[in-house]
Every structure is written in structure tokens, then in C-alpha cells.
Amino acid sequence: MNERPAPVLLDSLDDAVEYLLSQRSGPLHVGAPLGLGKPHRLLNALYARIERDPSRPLHLYTALSLDPPGGGKGLEARFIKPFAQRHFGGDFPRLAYVQALKRNALPAHMEVEEFYLQSGAMLGSTQVQRRYASLNYTHVARALADRGVNAIVQKVARSADGSRVSLSCNTDLTFDAIDAIVARGLPRPLLIAEVDPELPWLGGGAEVDAGFFDAIVQPPGPFPKLFGLPRQPVADVDYAIGFHASTLVRDGGTLQIGIGALADALCHALVLRHTDNPAYHAVLRALASPHADDLALAPFSQGLYGCSEMINEGFRRLVEVGVIARKVVDDRELMQRIADGDASDADLARVEREGEFLHGAFYLGSPDFYQWLRDLPDEARRGIGMKRVGEVNELYGGDEALERIQRRDARFFNTCMMATALGAAVSDALDDGRVVSGVGGQYNFVAMAHALPDARSVLLLRASRESGGKTTSNIVWNYGHTTIPRHLRDIYISEYGIADIRGRSDEDCIMAMAAITDARFQQQLLDTARNAGKLRGDFVLPARAAANTPPSLRDALQPFRRNGALPDYPLGSDFTAVEQRLVKALGWLKASTATRGGKLRVLFQALSARATDAEALQRMDLAAPSTFGARIEARLLNLALVQAADC
């Protein structure tokens, strides 16, 4: 194999842009990693250069363009702006093309195509919605080859001597995309790396020789903070879903999880199962779980192997307490001997020495999560392997026989927005076609669960939602858009229990889904099913389904809220103590003023509200309001703080 020449070393973003333009003539077809691996400063320099030069069209292919919250108005702005300044830093480089897209103002000679969006952020951008590409994560590399990508830019970590670089947070698509482009008979894309000293170093599959890149730019500091996802509070509904889900996880199995409060709740349930098993079972009994007295739900002795496209906050906690601990090696015969119980002491010693307990294709989390990665002891760091997304999300990206052995008793947990009574899932878009987020890897994991003999796909959803003062069911008869088709139905979990519908008839599926539906919407769902000829006339739900109500759930979990078994922020918080109180208060205020009548009632109550939390008022710059509008905001906040404290 011919060695690649040493990379061009640059210390200026403008020089890196000029290098790119000099090496590629005509239209630029540039790929950039999703999320954290996107080189914001380099992309902004490229945008500034191309914006004023229509002769060089730019087509950018990427996903998950992270953008800090803007601030909103009124009380929301008073809360978010100081938090964003502290959390993201005042010098965080907002992506120029994202700001243009939000205004539908991207220049005509530029085009941005994404296959996954920051959730809900681009519903109002017609430029984004028109150019969204609906792709399975594992199909993106092929699509990049179809589009003739001729350059890839990526953020990397760099070794002290400069000879090696780490793709660190994003091994997901870079390798697969290069291979797909070259296999198409196209020139290898120009590769430009932007070094970020803030990025944690991960070796193994993430580490390459510096010559892998054609150019490496390390612009001068100071270096902005990495984008940190603010950790959100976990509600009663989330905890109920997480604990029900945790009963499906088998010791010695394999775990994949998504991101968000539902995943956080699941991880906390697994942590509690391992570290305080009596408390774990007490929560299950309060939820009337049929698994509450299952002796198999004991602390983990073998531990779990984590194999997930995204490594996040929950995995950090599971590693810390020893739940993620089962190691695998890329040796089919050895893994088979372990599965058969025939491994020798030497085999086990090798697995302990060389094995990895967590595989991922990209990572994203809080500042604490990034610091954890930086501070990992070498032995623990070696246990984390960053892989191509084709290897993680499918059985066909590498050694299928090996991966089947490694991924025993796999449980793939993902979230959806809605589900139909016949088992289809709505996860990424609205019924009018507007995209909320994207398919990402969800379909991959659902399909893999059906391909592995002992795996299950588990889709988590809240039974209902509130919008504009109206409550509606998230379990519906049908919907104008679906992400996962009904023929791939497997397991659904709401706060009211588990619906195991794999291989079930339509009628059985409807019965199971109705049993985990909010009681307020059960009858309508059943009537619709009967009218469609899908449900027998004499069917009656079990009596326990009548208790599928928010008050019943709140009463069941309240003791565990009080004794600390179910904390608001189980994985830590990026908010200060006073900000945590404000989050609850602002949430109460938003829900209580969703209708015109609600606004009037709250305003009337607020007029007589008295200050009880001087620290919160000070944080919101409302300790001494000087205008009429500010005085009203202070009154509203006082009321919200009192009401939220009682929730």
C-alpha cells in the first residue's frame, strides 16, 4: 500500500478555505459530519467566502446542525439568555448557514441538504424542508457518492506530536463515505481537518495517521466550548416508561438507547436495579408492573454490552456503576466459545485484556460528559470503540456471524412521537410532510431486532400530549405519515405499560395498544376499530386500564419523588439549583396559560401573588422591576414558583 503524503498544515481558517478552492474547481459538493464533529468555524469561513462569490456554487451535505437556543421573549428570554451565555459561551460559533436557513435567506447559489434535523428547529424553514433527504443512517454514504461529494471537512483531536489524529466524536460516516465514493469510480474526496483541542481523544478505530487528511488546520485560540446538550428534567411519565422498559433488559445482553428524557429515565431505572434493587422493585410495584416480583430482575452480574449509534449521558452513568461491563472482541471463534460456555481461562483473560464494552458511531452530551471522556483512565478508554455506522447499525457492515454472537439478547430502545393502533410508528415528521427530526438509525435498529433471533425493538412513547390547552392521544387509529411500518411492529411502551405485538393479529394488536392508551381516549379508539371491522363487538379492556390517568400515575410515584429514588435530574444537571426551580415554574406557567381562559385566570391569580423566592427573582432580573410589563412578569413568576413547588 502506498503511503499518503504528509498533510498540508495550516494555521488560518481563511487559508484552509483558499486551499479547498484551489484543489477543487467548479461547484463544491462538501460533506460534513453530523453534530459535534462539524467544524463550525471552518464552515463559517467557507460560507463567508462563497456567499460573495456566486461563481462557486456550494452544496453542503450534513445532518444535525447544532444551534444554541436563541432566547425567545419575556420570561423565556430572561431565563435562556443568561443560561446560554454561561453554558455555551459567548464566543460559540453559530453556523452562518443555519441562521440563513431559519430566515429562508440562503443565497441561491448555495444549497444545504440534511438527513437529520435538530428536533423541531426547522419546521418553519421552507428551504430546509424542501431539501431534507429522508435516508436511513446507513444509506447516507451511498447518497453522498450519488451526489458526487468532492470534499469532506471534519473536526478532530490531534496527538501531541502531530503525527496522529482522532475522529473522536464522529467515526460514523467518514470512512463509509470515502469508500462509497471511491467504489463509484470517483476521485477520493479532499479531506480537511480542523483541530479542536477541546475535543476528547479516543483511539482505536477513531485514530488515523495525520496523512489520512489532505490538510489540517489548527486556528489560533481561544477555542469555543464544545456544544453541550442541556440535560432536561425527567417527569413522572418518563420515569414510568423507563421503568417498564427496564424490565425487558436481560443480564449479559446488549443495549442500544436513543437520547432524551425517556432514555435518561431508562438508564436511571437500570442504575437503580443494579445499585438499589429493593427500591427498584418498589417502583415497579407502585406501577403495578407484572414484573415487579421477577427474581431475574436482580443486579447485573455479567453486565451489558453497549452497541449504539450514539454514545451519550446515559451510557456514561451505566459505565460508572458497572452496568455496561460485558466485553466483546473481534474474534468469532473465541466469542462462540464464550457463548457456548466453553471458554478457557486464557480466552477470558484475553477478553478482559483486549475487549471493548461500548461501541458507538458518534457521541454527544453535556460538558460533564465530555470531561468524563477526557478524564477516563487508559484502561476504561480502551473499552470504548468508535465504529463506522455501517458496523454499528447493521449486521452487514462487517463480520455478520461475529456480530450476531456479540449482540446476544439485544434490546433496541428508541422513541417515537405517536403510534397507530395497528402498530406503525410516527417518529420523524408530521402528517403534512414537514420534518421534525429524521429517521436516523431508528429503522436500522427495528430491522436488526427482527433479524436477530433473541432481540427486540422497543419504541417508547408518552400516551398523550398537550398543545394549545388541548390534550390529545399519541396512540391513534391512523396518521398521515409513518416512520416504521406496521409489519415491523414489535414492542411499544407508554407510561401505562407494555404492548408486545410482534407477530400478533390486527385484533390482538389493537387490544394490546388500547391497554396502554390514556383512559380518556380508549373508548374512541376501540369504537373506531369496531367500525372498521377490526375488533369484535364484545371486547372489553381489563379493569386496570381504567387507571391509565395522569393523577393515578402521579399518586403512585409521589413517594419516590419525595424520598429521592426518582430525582428530577437523574444524570446530573446543567442548571443551577435556582434555575431548576425556575424550569419547573416556567413549565407550569406555559401549561397553565395555553388557552385564553387560562391566561386570564393565571393573570388574575398573579395580581395577588407575593414574592417567596428572592433568589429566583434576582436570577430573572425581576427583583426590582421598573416597568409595568416587568412588574406583571414578576407577579406571574411569583405565582408560578409557588404553584410549581407544590407539584
Side-chain angles (χ1 to χ4, degrees):
M1 180 182 294
N2 294 327
E3 290 189 7
R4 290 183 52 79
V8 175
L9 301 180
L10 305 165
D11 58 11
S12 161
L13 293 168
D14 289 336
D15 288 348
V17 170
E18 291 302 325
Y19 174 79
L20 170 58
L21 295 176
S22 71
Q23 297 297 308
R24 291 293 181 265
S25 59
L28 296 172
H29 295 269
V30 179
L34 61 77
L36 202 64
K38 209 182 312 298
H40 282 215
R41 293 194 292 173
L42 178 56
L43 285 170
N44 282 346
L46 179 61
Y47 182 93
R49 175 69 172 79
I50 298 300
E51 183 182 29
R52 59 181 186 266
D53 185 4
S55 69
R56 295 301 302 270
L58 170 64
H59 304 263
L60 177 64
Y61 307 98
T62 188
L64 194 57
S65 296
L66 297 169
D67 190 42
K73 300 178 181 178
L75 288 171
E76 180 183 343
R78 289 179 181 273
F79 179 83
I80 289 180
K81 288 181 178 178
F83 170 76
Q85 177 75 17
R86 180 185 80 242
H87 185 75
F88 297 100
D91 58 349
F92 186 86
R94 290 179 179 270
L95 288 162
Y97 71 82
V98 170
Q99 311 316 310
L101 287 168
K102 287 185 173 181
R103 304 190 309 272
N104 287 310
L106 195 71
H109 64 290
M110 292 187 186
E111 182 177 276
V112 177
E113 188 175 316
E114 298 200 60
F115 71 89
Y116 199 94
L117 309 176
Q118 193 167 347
S119 185
M122 293 298 186
L123 285 170
S125 172
T126 58
Q127 287 186 320
V128 169
Q129 294 294 329
R130 291 200 311 268
R131 301 309 303 162
Y132 166 77
S134 186
L135 296 166
N136 284 347
Y137 203 166
T138 52
H139 295 169
V140 174
R142 180 181 66 196
L144 295 178
D146 291 342
R147 286 150 175 76
V149 164
N150 54 24
I152 293 175
V153 296
Q154 177 154 0
K155 182 184 290 187
V156 301
R158 192 180 186 189
S159 64
D161 65 1
S163 66
R164 307 287 289 172
V165 298
S166 170
L167 275 61
S168 185
C169 55
N170 282 86
T171 52
D172 48 347
L173 285 168
T174 303
F175 300 124
D176 282 345
I178 293 169
D179 287 351
I181 292 167
V182 172
R184 191 64 56 85
L186 300 172
R188 185 179 189 268
L190 188 74
L191 299 181
I192 301 180
E194 178 189 325
V195 177
D196 188 342
E198 294 292 311
L199 199 63
W201 176 276
L202 288 177
E207 184 179 348
V208 295
D209 186 83
F212 177 79
F213 288 92
D214 298 286
I216 297 176
V217 57
Q218 181 159 350
F223 295 93
K225 293 182 178 180
L226 298 178
F227 187 99
L229 286 177
R231 288 164 285 188
Q232 299 300 311
V234 175
D236 290 343
V237 166
D238 307 327
Y239 268 129
I241 294 170
F243 273 78
H244 286 307
S246 71
T247 65
L248 302 176
V249 178
R250 294 184 181 179
D251 190 15
T254 303
L255 180 68
Q256 179 265 326
I257 56 174
I259 191 170
L262 296 182
D264 292 354
L266 168 58
C267 290
H268 180 69
L270 293 173
V271 168
L272 202 64
R273 171 175 159 182
H274 188 61
T275 62
D276 191 346
N277 202 250
Y280 170 74
H281 282 275
V283 175
L284 292 180
R285 283 190 289 273
L287 293 171
S289 168
H291 303 285
D293 298 314
D294 188 344
L295 297 180
L297 299 179
F300 295 92
S301 58
Q302 300 176 63
L304 305 175
Y305 158 53
C307 187
S308 187
E309 67 181 25
M310 178 179 179
I311 299 177
N312 56 27
E313 211 76 39
F315 280 114
R316 171 179 69 92
R317 184 67 178 137
L318 293 172
V319 170
E320 287 176 334
V321 301
V323 172
I324 295 292
R326 180 170 74 85
K327 293 183 177 181
V328 300
V329 293
D330 289 342
D331 183 324
R332 189 192 312 172
E333 287 75 20
L334 193 159
M335 293 304 300
Q336 188 64 60
R337 289 196 296 274
I338 291 175
D340 295 340
D342 296 331
S344 67
D345 289 343
D347 288 336
L348 297 177
R350 180 186 166 198
V351 172
E352 183 60 30
R353 182 176 65 253
E354 301 176 10
E356 296 174 330
F357 50 74
L358 181 57
H359 286 154
F362 76 99
Y363 66 73
L364 185 63
S366 71
D368 286 348
F369 173 73
Y370 304 141
Q371 193 60 51
W372 173 72
L373 288 175
R374 295 186 193 101
D375 294 343
L376 276 174
D378 289 342
E379 181 179 355
R381 189 187 309 278
R382 286 193 297 270
I384 300 175
M386 301 301 292
K387 301 278 191 175
R388 301 170 183 237
V389 73
E391 294 180 27
V392 173
N393 286 29
E394 288 185 326
L395 295 171
Y396 323 116
D399 185 336
E400 179 180 348
L402 171 66
E403 291 172 357
R404 285 180 173 275
I405 301 168
Q406 291 175 335
R407 299 176 190 186
R408 68 181 189 235
D409 287 324
R411 297 295 180 267
F412 303 115
F413 293 100
N414 291 284
T415 62
C416 60
M417 299 186 294
M418 288 178 279
T420 71
L422 294 172
V426 180
S427 306
D428 65 310
L430 305 179
D431 61 353
D432 62 5
R434 285 182 298 152
V435 181
V436 177
S437 53
V439 178
Q442 185 170 114
Y443 182 92
N444 291 132
F445 288 112
V446 172
M448 187 166 21
H450 287 274
L452 289 168
D454 52 8
R456 302 303 299 266
S457 162
V458 187
L459 293 180
L460 315 175
L461 80 161
R462 300 172 179 92
S464 63
R465 67 185 183 280
E466 292 188 12
S467 179
K470 182 181 179 181
T471 303
T472 54
S473 179
N474 284 331
I475 300 176
V476 298
W477 178 246
N478 55 22
Y479 195 68
H481 167 82
T482 57
T483 312
I484 304 300
R486 60 189 278 193
H487 72 271
L488 290 178
R489 57 198 184 199
D490 198 343
I491 293 175
Y492 283 93
I493 299 180
S494 82
E495 60 267 36
Y496 303 120
I498 300 173
D500 186 342
I501 57 175
R502 175 186 279 193
R504 305 279 291 277
S505 69
D506 279 0
E507 183 175 52
D508 290 343
C509 180
I510 293 164
M511 294 174 182
M513 294 298 287
I516 65 168
T517 297
D518 188 302
R520 293 169 288 181
F521 307 103
Q522 291 167 355
Q523 194 59 51
Q524 180 183 0
L525 190 66
L526 295 175
D527 289 345
T528 303
R530 290 192 185 96
N531 291 337
K534 285 289 188 178
L535 182 67
R536 67 178 189 264
D538 62 349
F539 172 73
V540 178
L541 279 170
R544 64 178 181 275
N548 291 2
T549 66
S552 296
L553 184 64
R554 182 174 60 249
D555 291 345
L557 295 184
Q558 192 173 53
F560 305 99
R561 288 294 201 175
R562 289 174 175 168
N563 69 16
L566 302 180
D568 287 341
Y569 297 87
L571 303 182
S573 177
D574 303 290
F575 302 119
T576 64
V578 65
E579 286 172 342
Q580 291 178 32
R581 298 196 300 273
L582 286 166
V583 166
K584 293 181 68 173
L586 294 175
W588 178 90
L589 190 62
K590 181 178 181 180
S592 301
T593 58
T595 63
R596 179 177 175 82
K599 288 185 176 73
L600 292 174
R601 284 193 297 274
V602 168
L603 183 59
F604 179 77
Q605 291 177 281
L607 294 177
S608 58
R610 294 290 180 267
T612 59
D613 192 334
E615 187 181 17
L617 290 171
Q618 184 69 40
R619 163 60 178 79
M620 298 286 278
D621 195 24
L622 288 171
S626 59
T627 66
F628 176 75
R631 287 193 290 272
I632 292 296
E633 288 182 341
R635 294 280 186 172
L636 289 169
L637 185 60
N638 286 331
L639 175 65
L641 286 163
V642 171
Q643 295 294 329
D646 294 334
C647 292

